[in-house]
Amino acid sequence: MKITNVRLRKLTGTAECDPGFVEDRVVMPIDVYPEHRLLERAALPRVDDRHVRVEGLFIQIETDEGVSGIAGPLLGDHLGQIVVDRLAPMIAGRDPRSTELLWDQMFRQSPDGRLGDTLMAISAVDCALWDLKGKALGEPVARLLGGPTRDRVPAYASMISSSTSDLGLVRERAAEWSGKGYRAQKWFFRHGPGSGNEGIDKNVALARTLREVLGDGYDLMFDAWMSWDLPYALKMARRLEEFAPRWLEEPLMPDRLDGHAELRQHTSIPISGGEHTMTRWSFKAVAEARAMDILQPDIYWTGGISEALKIAALASAHDLQVMVHGFNNPANLHFSAAMSPSLTPLQENQVLWSPLFQHFLKEPAQSVDGDFLAPAAPGMGMELDPDKIESETVVMMGE
Ligand SMILES: [Mg+2]
């Protein structure tokens, strides 16, 4: 089998959105600057109060045997450009089933891109190759990886873009998603060091409200999106302990490993992170610094399925858990469903965003009663739905 073409497909469509989309944004590292702190961030263009315009950039790797593999959406046109300019010429004419060989060659050919955009492009190509390999063999990727290890993978509702300041809305949303069967929720803080003591009180009020609504024993997590510094994180952790979060995510910027380790020594709250950490070597440093309890690589950013397997092995050897970041549900589900339940006990579902990320898929990976069902479709289930595509541009083709 040989790769004959790599096609970039840019799709547009109209997607139904949740009534709660979008109420607020998460705190960001740049919010230490006042001119950024008060800025709202554009979500997606509205059609009406229940619909938004969506775009999706997908890679399609085609072969001489007619079977093709799909990955996407990619996070930005620039990643598609890297696929076409740098990666497609390297994989053209090669056997797509040799995922390890092609990953190693793409990576070795990109020493200046081993983290960041080039690695994100390599990740997407790797995911498309795994989708292709599964389709060629007629098996779900979860099975090719040695799973499934269970019929259902428990999901948690990740509430990014829900309100953080209107505590009435917070109560409503938390009760709503708990009522839909989720046994765990993660909420996002809006305030960091730039917002002073008032921001700390607002963060604590959010946590208190959620614990009240969801009750003791409900798994509740918090995410600070890399936006705190160590003194602030220590102060917040002390205030949050009474609400017994299952974890506190990305309290500091990803490279501050010593800071994470120091925070861990001063709090009983497990510390997680890693969606902005890439490759096994970066995670090795995290593990050796004892910086985190839970690793959260994003399969579409950290190097693809091929690299996620290595990170999983590393985590297991260090007695750490892996709960992948919830950007691409299908890739995440095939991965999580193939790992030991003790390694990957939970999978993130961004309840407001994942239907939009997956809008163009025929069968999106969505949770049912708070669980993802082990996947059964061949490959990673990446079939595009022609009925959802309102316009399509083939951005570029490589040979
Ligand atoms: Mg996060």
Side-chain angles (χ1 to χ4, degrees):
M1 186 182 292
K2 279 196 335 196
I3 294 171
T4 51
N5 199 12
V6 179
R7 189 188 298 260
L8 290 184
R9 303 177 63 182
K10 189 169 189 176
L11 314 179
T12 67
T14 306
E16 193 176 344
C17 61
D18 188 273
F21 184 86
V22 162
E23 292 164 345
D24 207 348
R25 74 163 171 91
V26 61
V27 61
M28 302 173 92
I30 202 168
D31 288 349
V32 295
Y33 295 97
E35 70 270 29
H36 286 274
R37 191 157 57 244
L38 299 176
L39 278 184
E40 289 311 316
R41 304 274 162 175
L44 292 173
R46 288 250 161 212
V47 175
D48 55 41
D49 59 346
R50 288 304 304 268
H51 295 87
V52 288
R53 299 279 306 153
V54 286
E55 281 187 353
L57 181 64
F58 291 81
I59 309 172
Q60 184 166 307
I61 299 180
E62 298 166 356
T63 64
D64 58 353
E65 295 185 18
V67 59
S68 59
I70 291 175
L74 275 68
L75 211 58
D77 289 357
H78 59 295
L79 300 182
Q81 200 69 42
I82 296 170
V83 170
V84 165
D85 290 348
R86 296 184 60 168
L87 306 177
M90 295 187 58
I91 63 172
R94 312 300 297 276
D95 189 326
R97 295 166 297 186
S98 302
T99 43
E100 188 67 20
L101 170 72
L102 296 180
W103 193 97
D104 199 40
Q105 292 193 350
M106 288 188 289
F107 190 73
R108 285 174 182 275
Q109 196 79 308
S110 314
D112 57 343
R114 65 195 188 284
L115 305 172
D117 290 346
T118 302
L119 189 75
M120 291 165 87
I122 291 174
S123 306
V125 170
D126 182 77
C127 287
L129 291 171
W130 275 98
D131 183 54
L132 199 163
K133 177 154 61 175
K135 286 171 179 164
L137 295 168
E139 294 281 4
V141 167
R143 185 169 293 287
L144 301 186
L145 300 182
T149 53
R150 54 210 133 147
D151 298 333
R152 292 165 168 260
V153 177
Y156 71 85
S158 180
M159 302 302 298
I160 190 160
S161 301
S162 280
S163 180
T164 62
S165 55
D166 181 335
L167 298 180
L169 268 181
V170 168
R171 285 177 178 280
E172 211 176 291
R173 301 286 176 232
E176 176 190 347
W177 290 95
S178 152
K180 287 179 181 173
Y182 286 94
R183 301 174 298 281
Q185 292 183 22
K186 182 171 81 192
W187 284 73
F188 293 73
F189 290 120
R190 178 65 177 83
H191 301 287
S195 305
N197 288 336
E198 193 190 339
I200 291 184
D201 289 342
K202 286 181 177 169
N203 286 341
V204 171
L206 173 71
R208 176 170 290 116
T209 301
L210 287 164
R211 183 47 85 203
E212 277 171 15
V213 178
L214 295 168
D216 291 342
Y218 190 96
D219 277 329
L220 175 60
M221 295 81 84
F222 297 108
D223 192 322
W225 217 73
M226 310 168 280
S227 305
W228 296 347
D229 53 31
L230 182 58
Y232 190 94
L234 287 165
K235 206 184 271 185
M236 275 302 312
R238 271 196 296 276
R239 299 285 302 272
L240 291 174
E241 281 187 352
E242 66 171 298
F243 309 113
R246 179 158 173 178
W247 71 72
L248 173 61
E249 181 164 328
E250 286 200 309
L252 308 173
M253 288 193 68
D255 295 323
R256 314 279 171 98
L257 299 185
D258 293 344
H260 282 84
E262 188 170 340
L263 176 61
R264 277 191 70 227
Q265 284 171 1
H266 288 91
T267 182
S268 59
I269 304 172
I271 301 299
S272 74
E275 68 192 68
H276 299 96
T277 299
M278 298 180 174
T279 76
R280 76 200 81 162
W281 298 284
S282 302
F283 279 103
K284 177 171 182 273
V286 171
E288 288 179 350
R290 303 208 161 270
M292 295 173 195
D293 300 276
I294 299 159
L295 307 185
Q296 299 169 306
D298 187 295
I299 291 176
Y300 260 65
W301 305 343
T302 203
I305 290 283
S306 298
E307 194 61 8
L309 294 173
K310 284 137 185 125
I311 294 165
L314 175 95
S316 168
H318 283 88
D319 287 317
L320 302 172
Q321 291 186 316
V322 178
M323 299 191 221
V324 286
H325 174 243
F327 170 56
N328 190 286
N329 279 11
N332 291 350
L333 181 54
H334 283 271
F335 169 81
S336 298
M339 299 292 119
S340 164
S342 76
L343 184 72
T344 58
L346 269 181
Q347 182 178 321
E348 180 170 24
N349 191 23
Q350 294 190 14
V351 294
L352 300 181
W353 283 95
S354 71
L356 306 177
F357 291 146
Q358 299 185 89
H359 173 68
F360 295 106
L361 300 186
K362 252 185 193 158
E363 289 186 32
Q366 284 299 3
S367 57
V368 180
D369 296 332
D371 292 320
F372 288 104
L373 304 184
M380 289 214 275
M382 295 294 289
E383 290 295 337
L384 299 176
D385 184 350
D387 293 342
K388 304 261 185 66
I389 302 172
E390 290 170 11
S391 75
E392 170 165 357
T393 319
V394 175
V395 178
M396 233 173 273
M397 283 163 110
E399 285 301 316

